[in-house]
Amino acid sequence: MDPLSVLKDFTVRGEADKIERVGANYRFGSEYSFPCATETAYRSKGGTLYTLEALVHYVKNHHLKLGEYMQSTVKSSVPAVTLPDRKPLLEYLTGKVASSDAIDYLLLQQQNAQSQKQNEEYRPDQDNSAFVSRESAIEDMEVEDFGKSDEDVDYIMLIRSNERPLKSRDAILQCKNRDFYSVLVNSTKREEERQRIESHQRKDGLVAKSRLMGAEERGIVGFSGGGGDDNGYDANPKSKLHFKAGKIGEGVPIILVPSAFQTLITIYNVKEFLEDGVFIENDVKAKEMKGLKPDCITVQKKFSRDRERVVTAYEVRDKPSALKPDDWDRVVAVFVLGKDWQFKGWPFKDHVEIFNKIIGFYMRFEDDSIESAKTVKQWNVKIISISKNKRHNDRAAALEVWEKLEEFVRSRSHS
C-alpha cells in the first residue's frame, strides 16, 4: 500500500498513536515502514505534494489551535499543512469522505520518476564513465592546473557540475488551475482608459487656453457691439472681455455641476449635452467611462442660432470645495440640485447673493411633478425642461442654456 492509504487506514481505525518515528522512517505498527520525507499523493491547493511527515504530524496535532499548531511544526522542523487544506484533509483521513479531488497519484508518479532519474547512483555493473565524483573532478582540475596558483582553480564550475536543475524559471511561474490572463487584460484596459481620459483633459485644457489667448492677442471680444465690427474685432482693447476686480476672474470661466447622481446633469454627461445638444443618462456615461470620473473637463459651444459668443470655452467642475478664492471669481454658472446643502461652504451669505453673481440652471423632465421644482422656484434660477424620450428636442434645451449663459456673462463683463 502507498503511504497515504496506510495513514488513512490507521487514522480511521483510531490507531494513529501506533505510528512511531524511528530515525528517518515512520513505522506503522509492525506492518509498514516509510521514509519520513517521502511524498504522498495528497496535493495541496498550492499544487505541491504533502510529505508523509507533514500529514502524520497534522493527524496527531489537528486538535491544536492554528497558532499552537504552527509553533509545533516549527519546533519539530516539519512542513505545515496550510489552513485551506486542513479541514478537507482531516475529513479524508478520518473517513468522513471516501475520496478527494486533492489526491493526485499521476502527479506522484511523475515526480517519483523525475526524482529517480535525477538521483541515479553509481553501479559497478554499469558503464559509469558518465558519473564523475566531486573528488575526481577536483583531482582532474588539479592535474590540468598543475603549476598554477590556487586562485586559478574554478571552484564555481566544480559546484555547478554537480548541480541538477529541478525546475526552470518558466515552470515555477506555471500555476495549476490558475489563469492570470484575464487579470492582465482588465488591468491593461483600465490603465488605457485612464490615460485616454487624462489625455483628453489635457487636450481640452490646451485648446481652451490657446483660443482664449489667441482671441486676446487679436483683440477679439466675445460679444458684438460696443464699437466692434461684424467680425468681432474690437477697436478699443479696453472694452475687451478682460477680467478685472468685481467682474469675471482672469482665466477660463467655470461652470459648476452637482456631484450627486440625483440631478440630470453631472460632469459625466455635461459635455455631450452642451457641445452636441444630446442628453445621455448619467449611469450610461459612467459605465462608458469605467467609473473614472474626471476632476475637470472643458466644454465649447459648437452650435448657435446666431454668431454671438461670449467666450470660446468653459471649465466644468463638480468639487466646489477644491476651488481657491481666485477661482470663485471665475465661476459664472451652476447647475443646481434643488437642495440647500449643495451650497454649503460657498463664499456667499445666501441664495440671493449666489444667484446675483452666478447664473443658476435647474434641469428637469417635462412630466416631472411641480413639487420637484417647488424649492427651486423660490430661487433666481432658470428652469430648463427636457423630454424623457424625445432626444431630438435636447438641442433646443442646450441652446437655451447657452443663450442665458452668454447673456449673463455679457452683462457681467459690462458691470
Side-chain angles (χ1 to χ4, degrees):
M1 295 178 69
D2 67 279
L4 182 62
S5 301
V6 174
L7 177 59
K8 180 180 181 181
D9 184 47
F10 270 68
T11 305
V12 170
R13 292 186 318 201
E15 299 179 352
D17 57 326
K18 294 184 179 181
I19 305 174
E20 298 180 354
R21 180 165 185 162
V22 180
N25 295 326
Y26 273 116
R27 290 183 179 176
F28 293 77
S30 58
E31 303 174 50
Y32 303 96
S33 178
F34 301 100
C36 298
T38 189
E39 291 182 327
T40 68
Y42 200 93
R43 185 185 71 251
S44 69
K45 292 190 182 299
T48 58
L49 296 176
Y50 280 114
T51 60
L52 180 60
E53 62 180 347
L55 299 187
V56 171
H57 183 80
Y58 174 64
V59 168
K60 292 187 174 184
N61 297 276
H62 70 273
H63 59 281
L64 298 177
K65 295 181 180 179
L66 179 60
E68 296 174 348
Y69 167 70
M70 297 303 294
Q71 290 178 2
S72 69
T73 59
V74 174
K75 184 177 180 180
S76 304
S77 300
V78 176
V81 175
T82 61
L83 182 61
D85 290 324
R86 293 183 65 180
K87 183 178 179 181
L89 173 61
L90 188 63
E91 290 179 346
Y92 171 72
L93 292 178
T94 55
K96 291 183 178 180
V97 294
S99 183
S100 172
D101 294 336
I103 299 176
D104 194 340
Y105 283 102
L106 179 60
L107 178 60
L108 179 62
Q109 293 175 2
Q110 292 175 349
Q111 296 210 7
N112 288 339
Q114 185 179 11
S115 299
Q116 184 178 0
K117 183 177 179 181
Q118 292 174 350
N119 296 322
E120 291 178 342
E121 298 178 355
Y122 177 87
R123 296 179 183 177
D125 58 339
Q126 291 184 352
D127 180 11
N128 296 285
S129 59
F131 296 91
V132 180
S133 66
R134 183 175 182 273
E135 290 76 10
S136 299
I138 294 176
E139 291 177 1
D140 293 343
M141 181 62 69
E142 290 177 348
V143 171
E144 292 176 2
D145 295 321
F146 179 76
K148 297 182 180 179
S149 63
D150 291 340
E151 295 179 355
D152 295 330
V153 179
D154 191 351
Y155 292 103
I156 300 299
M157 188 277 288
L158 292 177
I159 295 174
R160 288 180 176 174
S161 66
N162 288 316
E163 289 181 347
R164 293 187 178 92
L166 298 179
K167 287 186 178 182
S168 65
R169 179 176 59 183
D170 294 335
I172 292 176
L173 294 175
Q174 292 176 355
C175 298
K176 193 170 184 179
N177 300 326
R178 295 291 186 273
D179 180 16
F180 297 101
Y181 180 72
S182 59
V183 178
L184 175 63
V185 171
N186 292 333
S187 61
T188 302
K189 286 183 177 180
R190 190 174 183 85
E191 179 63 19
E192 290 176 350
E193 182 66 19
R194 184 185 66 80
Q195 292 179 358
R196 185 189 68 80
I197 292 177
E198 289 182 354
S199 176
H200 191 63
Q201 290 179 9
R202 288 194 297 269
K203 181 179 178 182
D204 283 347
L206 290 173
V207 169
K209 184 176 180 180
S210 62
R211 291 192 177 186
L212 286 172
M213 292 178 63
E216 291 181 357
E217 291 175 358
R218 295 191 302 271
I220 298 177
V221 294
F223 53 90
S224 62
D229 59 18
D230 292 338
N231 293 324
Y233 180 84
D234 188 4
N236 182 10
K238 293 183 179 180
S239 64
K240 294 189 301 178
L241 192 60
H242 274 293
F243 308 114
K244 301 180 181 179
K247 299 183 182 181
I248 301 176
E250 182 178 356
V252 181
I254 296 175
I255 300 174
L256 295 177
V257 295
S259 58
F261 265 51
Q262 295 95 317
T263 183
L264 298 185
I265 295 297
T266 66
I267 202 165
Y268 285 110
N269 62 358
V270 66
K271 192 175 186 71
E272 284 74 15
F273 179 70
L274 292 181
E275 288 193 351
D276 304 326
V278 178
F279 172 76
I280 302 176
E281 295 285 352
N282 285 308
D283 54 349
V284 175
K285 285 299 299 181
K287 188 175 181 180
E288 290 179 2
M289 299 171 70
K290 310 294 184 182
L292 298 175
K293 185 173 71 170
D295 295 329
C296 173
I297 64 173
T298 303
V299 296
Q300 304 170 29
K301 184 178 180 182
K302 294 183 178 180
F303 56 92
S304 177
R305 291 193 180 99
D306 52 39
R307 297 175 59 186
E308 292 185 2
R309 292 190 184 185
V310 177
V311 291
T312 58
Y314 294 81
E315 287 183 5
V316 181
R317 300 174 180 266
D318 68 346
K319 295 180 181 178
S321 58
L323 296 180
K324 300 177 181 179
D326 292 342
D327 293 334
W328 280 102
D329 294 334
R330 295 192 288 130
V331 178
V332 295
V334 57
F335 282 82
V336 301
L337 181 62
K339 306 293 182 181
D340 288 327
W341 53 259
Q342 181 183 359
F343 309 105
K344 185 177 181 180
W346 286 34
F348 305 101
K349 61 180 181 181
D350 53 27
H351 298 99
V352 176
E353 184 180 1
I354 291 175
F355 297 119
N356 278 339
K357 296 182 178 181
I358 301 172
I359 186 171
F361 295 101
Y362 177 72
M363 298 288 300
R364 64 184 294 271
F365 287 125
E366 293 174 343
D367 51 355
D368 283 350
S369 64
I370 302 298
E371 291 296 323
S372 62
K374 184 177 181 180
T375 303
V376 177
K377 285 186 176 182
Q378 301 175 14
W379 302 340
N380 183 24
V381 301
K382 313 299 180 185
I383 298 178
I384 307 297
S385 300
I386 60 174
S387 172
K388 281 187 176 181
N389 304 310
K390 300 176 182 178
R391 297 279 68 87
H392 61 277
N393 293 336
D394 295 341
R395 182 183 177 89
L399 275 173
E400 185 178 359
V401 172
W402 280 116
E403 289 174 355
K404 300 293 185 183
L405 176 60
E406 291 178 345
E407 181 182 353
F408 177 78
V409 173
R410 189 182 304 118
S411 64
R412 279 191 61 176
S413 64
H414 285 298
S415 62

